[in-house]
Amino acid sequence: MSALRLERWFAAQGFAPFAFQRDVWAAQARGQSGLLHASTGSGKTLAAFGGLAEAIAQRAEAHPREVPPLAVIWITPMRALAADTVKALQKPLAALCPQASVGLRTGDTPSAERARQDKRWPTVLVTTPESLSLMLTRPKLREELADLQAVVVDEWHELIANKRGVQVQLALARLRQIQPSLLTWAMSATLGNSEQAMQQILEQRGENASKPAILVRGNTSKALRIDALIPDQPGSYSWAGHLGARMVEPVVAELRETAASGGSALVFTNTRSQAEIWYQLILNAAPELAGTVALHHGSLDKAVREWVEAELKAGRLLAVVATSSLDLGVDFLPVERVLQIGSAKGVARLMQRAGRSGHAPGRESRATLVPTNTLELVEAAAARQAVARGQVESRQSPDKPLDVLVQHMVTVALGGGFRADDLFAEVRFCASFATLSRQEFDWALSFCERGGESLHAYPDYHRIQKGEDGTYRVSNTAAARRHRMAIGTIVSDGSLKVQYLNGATIGHMEESFLARLKRGDCFVFAGKVLEFIRLADMTAQVKRATKPKGIVPAWGGGKMPLSTEMAEAVLLLMRDAAKGIFDGPEMQAAKPMLLTQARLSALPSPDALLVEQFQSKEGQHLFVYPFAGRQANLGLASLVAYRLAREAPNTFSMSVNDYGFELLGAVAFDVAQVLSREVWTTDALLPDVLASLNSGELAQRRFREIARISGLVFQGFPGAPKSTKQVQASSSLFFEVFKKYDAGNMLLTQAEREVLSQELELSRMQAALATLRALAVKAVQLQHPSPLCLPLLAERFRETLSNEQLAQRLARMLEAGATIS
């Protein structure tokens, strides 16, 4: 397959292909699959699609009277990205093969378009993991995919570490059974383990091993600039959000400067509630910007998000305050600048967001970090150094999520059926199920067939049946309909529609937040202060409030943990600071705080574990700084508290952040175990961790998602959805029934495993414990709160105090010397 048409098309556009684009095209011509790892905005889409478009054109030339059949499936993680991708693919394909077409199939595709596609698929289909899984339920799938040549998975780094990525793995395994010669290409911009990531999506065993996969790295000179806004007088003490309001005017000044140069800016936050806050702060500081600054996050109504995206593309917006809803590869050419509010917490996330600016080959991408506390200045410097060293986080696929396997079994049974031995061999080619035992597979099969040990008497849970020919199929029409409705619940959240009394939809919010509101309560959403009227028919009815202020909703999953790579980079800078080295403007700005820490206590380093003790009227405080990230530190704090209380009964209060944790004992306790490092042993780790937590409640919470994905809980039909409370009640009932009557249920085991791996990052805890056992302990008896322990005190106080009360209490604490009152 030559690429003459492609070369001519590139020349007609006024540019030449990059070497890495030609490398991908050549690999595709040889029949090789692979992974393309290149920076954002460097031309990955044309690299992955160019060779495939050339092949489509050659086939059309050989069969001029045929309408080109479905040849390429392009998988994207976001619906918004899907629409942009269609436009990006249409341009070269229209030039190379005018009779070929590009179509879109997602949950938003109108029914009329779906009906057209059901009669004839487009040549290239852009879709999402959920919609692809739904395609697999089609009974004539093999006939419809008879000419399929390739699958492309865009933004693989966004999918690899979650269950949607597992869904993609299983779908690809099924497609390869239909088309053994199927080409598979994945694309990513930010992965620290690209070789392993390639193996996790590509089949590399058996008959296809004769054509090994290829890893292509884009080496275009894409400039990436990372800097920070330096606050005036950041001070010697700081805590979460301490500098936030003071940084509004500098942010507004940067936005105006960007506008003056003819560009636009994206202002990224880490949470939706933070986006709402900063949108209001910017407009309050600069009311004249109203109408040129917009808000974008996943809870806003789709029409609102699409309007914001269109206005930003057209260059009519000065800035958009956004969350991860705009992280991925949507092209906004007018965007010249990215501002990141607070720490990005990870190198990959920062690089991904920086790539939203200058999103074209040859243009500079620029990200400016806006610290909300003094420690984030150190994180900003650490992030820049980590990017320069190429220390990007690795991502791993989930291990054997049986709920996804159960869903897939029913899907394949609908799409023509399967034989058990064949499907077992098929799913074992998936990285997430490479170690799946036959016992585990047979359990999942039995669970689909008769509901396991405790549900066999209920026909609704007999979802698949084995025919006389040994093929498992779905024969129950109602079960088939429920399953097709449930595919895609992997990312489902309990949310309610928010709309005005006149019926205009604003967006969706968590039911757990809205259920707490009383009539007349005000809250901030979509950049507006709204007054709650009532809940009716799964809808929160509201009106514009006359009160100037409202409660900002705190959405779930709000706090991202500091990555291992970022933590290591911060510790290296702390070690430099201990030697008197403060390189760069961020470290110079943080110097007063770091010198105060060194004077009152000591600076952490990679070579020693810092442990601080402090006595106050509240009791005995122990501060430990493993730098393991918020979630792992929570697990470590719980573990240490459990092990200390086991030796001498005590009640501990605790607080955690990314750097460390505080234990406050109700009575005095002996810290010898901590100082001697005995408490960091990994012996009996799993039972101790489970005993230290309310593991039953945590597992029950995880089981809610597992119950939805595996099809145990049905969320209702369109127009009659079940409330989150109903879904939770149903999943809780199953959880209790299984515990009592089906203790060997593997979904229960999975719930426990997910608590440990996802909520507590057990693997990171284990690595931290191994490191802590080997480190010397630097113990300090504080006479006054240190700059590192103050944020931990603030975390605990924040639970009961308003921001103003918190600031007053911390100020009194610092003035009072060694006494916390």
Side-chain angles (χ1 to χ4, degrees):
M1 180 179 72
S2 70
L4 293 177
R5 294 178 183 81
L6 266 177
E7 296 281 357
R8 289 196 295 268
W9 180 77
F10 265 80
Q13 308 305 305
F15 50 84
F18 293 116
F20 80 87
Q21 292 174 322
R22 288 193 173 102
D23 289 344
V24 174
W25 301 341
Q28 290 173 342
R30 294 191 297 269
Q32 282 183 282
S33 297
L35 183 140
L36 170 58
H37 192 266
S39 59
T40 299
S42 62
K44 291 193 301 297
T45 300
L46 285 174
F49 185 58
L52 306 178
E54 184 81 34
I56 291 170
Q58 288 187 2
R59 189 189 190 285
E61 190 174 62
H63 303 85
R65 301 191 177 205
E66 290 183 11
V67 176
L70 177 59
V72 177
I73 293 177
W74 190 287
I75 304 170
T76 175
M78 286 178 60
R79 294 179 187 179
L81 185 57
D84 245 42
T85 301
V86 168
K87 296 175 185 175
L89 302 183
Q90 279 173 332
K91 191 173 181 181
L93 189 62
L96 270 62
C97 184
Q99 62 269 50
S101 59
V102 181
L104 178 63
R105 181 90 169 204
T106 72
D108 296 330
T109 303
S111 57
E113 176 62 18
R114 287 172 181 269
R116 280 192 293 270
Q117 291 176 355
D118 288 344
K119 293 177 182 176
R120 178 180 289 279
W121 288 109
T123 316
V124 179
L125 181 70
V126 179
T127 189
T128 59
E130 294 77 22
S131 292
L132 177 58
S133 291
L134 189 56
M135 279 180 63
L136 298 183
T137 66
R138 298 168 73 91
K140 296 183 178 180
L141 187 68
R142 288 185 178 275
E143 299 170 27
E144 294 176 321
L145 300 184
D147 295 288
L148 185 66
Q149 299 172 16
V151 175
V152 178
V153 183
D154 200 357
E155 308 282 4
W156 176 229
H157 57 276
E158 283 296 320
L159 293 167
I160 186 173
N162 58 48
K163 290 180 181 179
R164 298 180 75 216
V166 179
Q167 200 174 31
V168 171
Q169 290 180 39
L170 290 167
L172 287 174
R174 175 94 305 228
L175 294 178
R176 291 184 189 117
Q177 288 299 311
I178 297 171
Q179 283 289 8
S181 60
L182 186 73
L183 288 183
T184 306
W185 277 84
M187 297 192 295
S188 176
T190 50
L191 274 173
N193 58 332
S194 50
E195 287 274 3
Q196 187 180 21
M198 179 177 71
Q199 302 302 326
Q200 288 174 342
I201 194 171
L202 302 178
E203 183 180 32
Q204 286 297 290
R205 289 174 284 168
E207 57 199 345
N208 287 348
S210 60
K211 290 186 178 178
I214 181 172
L215 174 62
V216 178
R217 298 185 186 275
N219 55 359
T220 59
S221 55
K222 177 73 174 171
L224 176 59
R225 177 180 170 191
I226 297 173
D227 54 19
L229 284 184
I230 308 298
D232 293 330
Q233 300 180 340
S236 300
Y237 285 88
S238 191
W239 53 90
H242 173 231
L243 298 175
R246 287 169 50 186
M247 300 304 294
V248 177
E249 287 295 344
V251 166
V252 170
E254 295 295 320
L255 296 181
R256 287 178 172 141
E257 180 184 321
T258 303
S261 66
S264 301
L266 284 173
V267 181
F268 277 113
T269 67
N270 290 339
T271 67
R272 287 169 283 175
S273 54
Q274 193 180 29
E276 295 276 356
I277 291 171
W278 272 86
Y279 177 72
Q280 293 290 337
L281 286 172
I282 290 171
L283 291 184
N284 289 341
E288 74 278 7
L289 297 182
T292 63
V293 177
L295 180 65
H296 191 290
H297 59 68
S299 290
L300 298 178
D301 186 61
K302 176 175 174 281
V304 174
R305 298 196 308 271
E306 289 180 344
W307 178 87
V308 172
E309 292 162 15
E311 292 296 291
L312 183 59
K313 285 180 186 178
R316 289 190 286 268
L317 289 176
L318 166 64
V320 175
V321 183
T323 61
S324 56
S325 59
L326 289 183
D327 266 7
L328 300 185
V330 181
D331 294 337
F332 297 115
L333 293 180
V335 174
E336 297 285 350
R337 186 85 176 273
V338 162
L339 288 95
Q340 166 67 43
I341 305 298
S343 170
K345 298 298 181 185
V347 182
R349 185 178 300 112
L350 176 60
M351 293 175 67
Q352 184 73 25
R353 291 182 170 182
R356 297 301 101 224
S357 64
H359 197 270
R363 291 174 60 189
E364 179 187 67
S365 293
R366 182 183 178 189
T368 299
L369 300 166
V370 182
T372 61
N373 62 69
T374 310
L375 284 168
E376 287 183 341
L377 285 165
V378 182
E379 289 187 38
R384 185 170 58 249
Q385 291 191 8
V387 169
R389 291 191 293 262
Q391 290 179 305
V392 182
E393 293 83 9
S394 298
R395 306 193 190 193
Q396 307 294 334
S397 293
D399 183 39
K400 293 186 288 191
L402 294 182
D403 53 344
V404 184
L405 178 59
V406 165
Q407 185 187 95
H408 184 69
M409 282 180 170
V410 183
T411 295
V412 177
L414 273 170
F418 67 87
R419 291 176 179 270
D421 290 346
D422 295 342
L423 188 62
F424 176 63
E426 179 181 317
V427 300
R428 289 253 301 174
F429 277 113
C430 300
S432 288
F433 296 103
T435 61
L436 182 75
S437 69
R438 186 60 195 240
Q439 180 185 5
E440 291 167 323
F441 178 86
D442 287 344
W443 181 89
L445 185 65
S446 172
F447 190 75
C448 293
E449 187 177 11
R450 60 189 190 91
E453 294 299 319
S454 52
L455 299 177
H456 57 84
Y458 300 92
D460 280 353
Y461 300 102
H462 302 179
R463 288 176 282 177
I464 63 176
Q465 295 78 37
K466 185 176 181 180
E468 293 182 0
D469 61 351
T471 301
Y472 286 90
R473 297 184 177 88
V474 177
S475 59
N476 185 301
T477 305
R481 189 157 63 113
R482 282 198 303 270
H483 181 75
R484 288 191 174 98
M485 292 295 303
I487 293 176
T489 57
I490 285 180
V491 293
S492 177
D493 292 319
S495 61
L496 298 179
K497 184 188 295 184
V498 180
Q499 69 178 33
Y500 290 119
L501 287 172
N502 66 8
T505 299
I506 307 169
H508 291 77
M509 291 180 64
E510 287 182 347
E511 184 178 13
S512 57
F513 173 80
L514 293 168
R516 297 197 304 265
L517 299 179
K518 302 185 298 293
R519 186 182 182 92
D521 283 352
C522 295
F523 62 98
V524 176
F525 182 60
K528 307 173 181 68
V529 181
L530 305 173
E531 182 178 331
F532 178 75
I533 305 299
R534 68 177 72 89
L535 276 178
D537 299 325
M538 297 292 289
T539 299
Q541 296 178 337
V542 300
K543 66 179 182 179
R544 292 293 289 266
T546 54
K547 298 178 183 178
K549 293 184 178 180
I551 307 164
V552 176
W555 279 283
K559 295 183 176 177
M560 302 174 179
L562 192 73
S563 72
T564 300
E565 288 74 10
M566 281 282 287
E568 290 172 352
V570 169
L571 280 172
L572 290 173
L573 288 175
M574 294 279 196
R575 183 169 64 184
D576 286 348
K579 298 175 182 177
I581 302 171
F582 297 89
D583 287 340
E586 298 89 359
M587 293 301 290
Q588 283 294 320
K591 186 175 180 178
M593 180 203 70
L594 296 174
L595 291 178
T596 302
Q597 175 66 29
R599 176 172 57 83
L600 296 176
S601 174
L603 284 167
S605 80
D607 312 311
L609 172 66
L610 177 61
V611 176
E612 297 176 336
Q613 297 180 69
F614 188 71
Q615 191 68 38
S616 77
K617 292 179 180 179
E618 287 185 299
Q620 182 180 353
H621 303 257
L622 177 70
F623 302 97
V624 184
Y625 302 98
F627 279 74
R630 177 179 293 272
Q631 289 166 294
N633 281 341
L634 173 61
L636 291 170
S638 301
L639 179 68
V640 172
Y642 171 75
R643 287 175 171 174
L644 291 176
R646 188 170 55 188
E647 298 298 318
N650 204 341
T651 300
F652 290 100
S653 300
M654 66 180 70
S655 63
V656 300
N657 62 19
D658 283 312
Y659 298 159
F661 61 85
E662 174 204 20
L663 294 182
L664 171 62
V667 297
F669 57 95
D670 186 2
V671 298
Q673 282 192 71
V674 178
L675 301 183
S676 68
R677 297 174 295 184
E678 291 176 24
V679 76
W680 307 120
T681 180
T682 54
D683 294 344
L685 177 60
L686 189 57
D688 281 3
V689 169
L690 292 174
S692 71
L693 297 159
N694 186 0
S695 58
E697 172 59 30
L698 290 173
Q700 185 167 343
R701 193 171 67 199
R702 294 298 309 180
F703 188 77
R704 292 170 189 164
E705 178 193 88
I706 291 170
R708 289 199 301 266
I709 294 171
S710 62
L712 278 173
V713 175
F714 180 55
Q715 293 188 271
F717 294 104
K722 293 182 179 179
S723 69
T724 302
K725 186 178 291 186
Q726 289 172 315
V727 171
Q728 289 176 353
S730 299
S731 61
S732 297
L733 177 61
F734 281 118
F735 184 83
E736 295 300 330
V737 167
F738 291 159
K739 280 190 70 175
K740 191 171 181 179
Y741 300 105
D742 189 7
N745 192 297
M746 291 187 181
L747 296 181
L748 292 180
T749 309
Q750 181 184 333
E752 263 190 9
R753 196 169 67 239
E754 287 186 9
V755 167
L756 295 171
S757 65
Q758 297 179 30
E759 299 202 23
L760 297 178
E761 293 189 296
L762 183 63
S763 60
R764 193 170 178 185
M765 273 184 66
Q766 290 173 316
L769 287 168
T771 299
L772 296 174
R773 285 280 288 177
L775 290 179
V777 175
K778 189 184 295 182
V780 178
Q781 184 69 49
L782 295 175
Q783 302 303 313
H784 187 275
S786 73
L788 277 182
C789 82
L790 192 73
L792 287 165
L793 293 167
E795 285 283 333
R796 187 161 46 80
F797 295 157
R798 199 183 298 275
E799 298 297 322
T800 55
L801 300 177
S802 67
N803 286 342
E804 187 175 346
Q805 291 170 328
L806 174 64
Q808 292 172 353
R809 179 159 186 177
L810 293 176
R812 287 200 310 270
M813 179 194 310
L814 296 177
E815 290 170 5
T819 303
I820 299 180
S821 56

